[in-house]
Amino acid sequence: MTAVPAGRRERKKTATRQAIADAALRLFLQRGYDAVSIREIADAADVSTTTLFKHFTGKEALVFDDDQGRESALVAAVRDRPAGQSILDGLRLHILDTWLPIAAHPQRRQFTELVDSTPALRAYAERMWTRHTDSLAAAIADESGVAHDDLACVALARFVLEIPSLTGARGDRRAAVEAIFGILARGWQPPKAGKAAGNPPPSTAS
């Protein structure tokens, strides 16, 4: 028997996982999280429930399908940044490259409403957020040569992870992200009247 190349196997696994996640989100958005069963998701993705559970630990994980990948990417933005690049710059570029496309996704508003309206998903998101904070703070601390519970490292991790919620509703999200990292890099300064950070001044054109 001819062995299937590892690359091909991985692509097939990735495609199956994505199909399951897509089917789950589609059903959740159509009918609500609590009204959809695991069996219905498996049927919609044309897989067995056994296959579904090979890819996802539970129903909540179907909503946050790239949870582990995002955490790994956050840590890599700190640990694997180019020589000479600061931790802040590494995180800034990562947020700009990853968060802005997510924020612009046409289903982003519906996804946020789904999570906010579902207690089980809100609780899962909070646990995920805490874990990401711990992992990111540890990476920052390691790169800085300090203990993992160093307050400055924990605070920076928390601030960075709050950026999506702080910038999601801004008209110019890129400017808002840059403004926040400017505050982190240079410290907070009182804003000038009529010019809030991350917001361009209103147009005076008639």
Side-chain angles (χ1 to χ4, degrees):
M1 179 182 291
T2 303
V4 178
R8 183 179 171 189
R9 286 198 298 269
E10 288 304 313
R11 288 195 299 273
K12 185 175 181 180
K13 285 173 58 178
T14 299
T16 300
R17 179 183 175 86
Q18 190 63 55
I20 296 169
D22 289 346
L25 183 59
R26 182 174 66 254
L27 291 173
F28 291 152
L29 292 178
Q30 287 174 352
R31 294 164 46 194
Y33 177 81
D34 293 323
V36 179
S37 70
I38 290 291
R39 164 58 66 185
E40 289 173 308
I41 295 168
D43 289 345
D46 196 24
V47 299
S48 67
T49 55
T50 300
T51 297
L52 186 151
F53 282 117
K54 285 181 180 179
H55 291 274
F56 297 95
T57 57
K59 192 175 175 182
E60 297 95 339
L62 287 160
V63 178
F64 303 95
D65 59 288
D66 197 26
D67 173 23
Q68 292 184 342
R70 288 175 183 158
E71 181 176 319
S72 298
L74 269 169
V75 171
V78 174
R79 296 192 189 279
D80 302 337
R81 67 192 192 282
Q85 185 181 81
S86 70
I87 291 174
L88 269 182
D89 275 342
L91 289 169
R92 179 179 63 83
L93 293 172
H94 173 73
I95 294 295
L96 289 172
D97 288 345
T98 60
W99 159 240
L100 293 184
I102 291 173
H105 194 283
Q107 287 185 315
R108 178 68 188 177
R109 181 183 59 80
Q110 290 175 285
F111 177 87
T112 300
E113 290 175 352
L114 172 69
V115 174
D116 289 345
S117 64
T118 309
L121 294 180
R122 290 202 310 271
Y124 187 96
E126 178 62 27
R127 293 193 301 272
M128 181 180 70
W129 187 86
T130 300
R131 191 182 71 251
H132 289 187
T133 300
D134 291 344
S135 298
L136 181 57
I140 294 169
D142 286 342
E143 292 297 301
S144 304
V146 298
H148 284 186
D149 63 351
D150 181 84
L151 183 58
C153 297
V154 175
L156 176 58
R158 282 183 176 269
F159 289 148
V160 168
L161 289 169
E162 287 287 359
I163 288 175
S165 64
L166 291 172
T167 60
R170 299 284 175 168
D172 188 340
R173 298 187 189 98
R174 177 176 290 274
V177 170
E178 295 284 12
I180 291 174
F181 274 101
I183 293 169
L184 292 174
R186 297 185 292 275
W188 183 82
Q189 299 294 328
K192 295 180 180 179
K195 187 178 181 181
N199 285 334
S203 172
T204 57
S206 57

